[in-house]
Amino acid sequence: MESNWTSTGSMELRYSYHNDIGPFDLWWDFPNDDTIEIEFSLPSEFYVGLGFTADGVGDAVAAWVDSSRVHVGDYWDEGSREPETDESKNCQNDIETVSGHFQNGVTTVRFRRKLDTGDHGDCDAKIVRGPMEINYAWCDEPWCADANGKCKGYKDGCLDSPHSLDASNHVTVDFSGKSLQMLATDLV
């Protein structure tokens, strides 16, 4: 789940999506037929998250950067509580950390994952090369941090602190890569 590793051979990501709520920036590409590489940015010095479900309950990636260490993990998110690691559900952490950094109030992380991880049960959603409803969230003040910018939680990345309702969104992104004009529909 945590990593100091940063890939030196990062590929250029050809496709992108932007949403003003956050703001949220997403880039992706396919290094091979069964893998997606994703990079996303959100305004938080604590955790940022990307979910592969329409309703915010299910397969998610949570990440944060501290002291130049990148932490990216595979989680099951049940909503307004601390997410569970896939390992705790007897599944695998199918996320390969590529890179991450925190700069000017924004956390950016990049990772790779199989489109279909093959995890049993409901641990991981299949990522489709087409329109897909996803969600994103970030740890915001004053919900996750006090007036001095210190985490109110006890876990690394402040992962055990809920974000406000204003620090999340549900959108549809076309992962097909067939068009540079991506479908974007706010559901909030």
Side-chain angles (χ1 to χ4, degrees):
M1 182 168 26
E2 46 185 81
S3 174
N4 290 327
W5 180 76
T6 301
S7 172
T8 55
S10 293
M11 64 183 292
E12 181 179 338
L13 304 178
R14 296 179 292 169
Y15 310 107
S16 65
Y17 170 81
H18 170 82
N19 193 290
D20 288 339
I21 296 175
F24 171 67
D25 287 296
L26 176 72
W27 302 268
W28 71 93
D29 209 334
F30 304 96
N32 57 49
D33 288 342
D34 67 349
T35 303
I36 189 168
E37 185 164 322
I38 295 174
E39 181 172 305
F40 70 101
S41 296
L42 282 162
S44 179
E45 68 178 291
F46 301 109
Y47 69 81
V48 296
L50 179 63
F52 299 107
T53 63
D55 62 3
V57 174
D59 186 21
V61 172
W64 64 93
V65 177
D66 62 25
S67 303
S68 300
R69 287 183 61 168
V70 181
H71 306 264
V72 183
D74 197 358
Y75 290 88
W76 178 261
D77 190 356
E78 292 194 39
S80 60
R81 61 183 56 96
E82 180 181 353
E84 299 176 52
T85 64
D86 274 18
E87 292 98 329
S88 72
K89 294 174 64 71
N90 294 316
C91 295
Q92 297 181 89
N93 179 4
D94 296 297
I95 301 300
E96 178 186 337
T97 303
V98 176
S99 63
H101 65 274
F102 174 76
Q103 184 175 12
N104 299 324
V106 175
T107 295
T108 301
V109 294
R110 183 185 280 209
F111 64 92
R112 285 187 197 111
R113 195 198 102 162
K114 298 280 185 196
L115 296 170
D116 181 356
T117 66
D119 265 353
H120 70 277
D122 58 0
C123 288
D124 289 333
K126 291 181 183 178
I127 299 174
V128 298
R129 287 185 180 225
M132 186 170 174
E133 293 182 34
I134 65 169
N135 63 85
Y136 61 91
W138 65 99
C139 183
D140 59 336
E141 293 181 24
W143 296 90
C144 296
D146 62 24
N148 296 320
K150 300 291 184 193
C151 174
K152 288 183 177 179
Y154 300 98
K155 302 278 178 106
D156 288 343
C158 216
L159 198 58
D160 57 335
S161 295
H163 57 78
S164 73
L165 291 176
D166 294 331
S168 65
N169 197 14
H170 300 262
V171 296
T172 301
V173 175
D174 185 349
F175 283 113
S176 70
K178 293 180 181 174
S179 170
L180 295 179
Q181 180 67 33
M182 294 297 125
L183 173 68
T185 307
D186 287 332
L187 300 176
V188 173

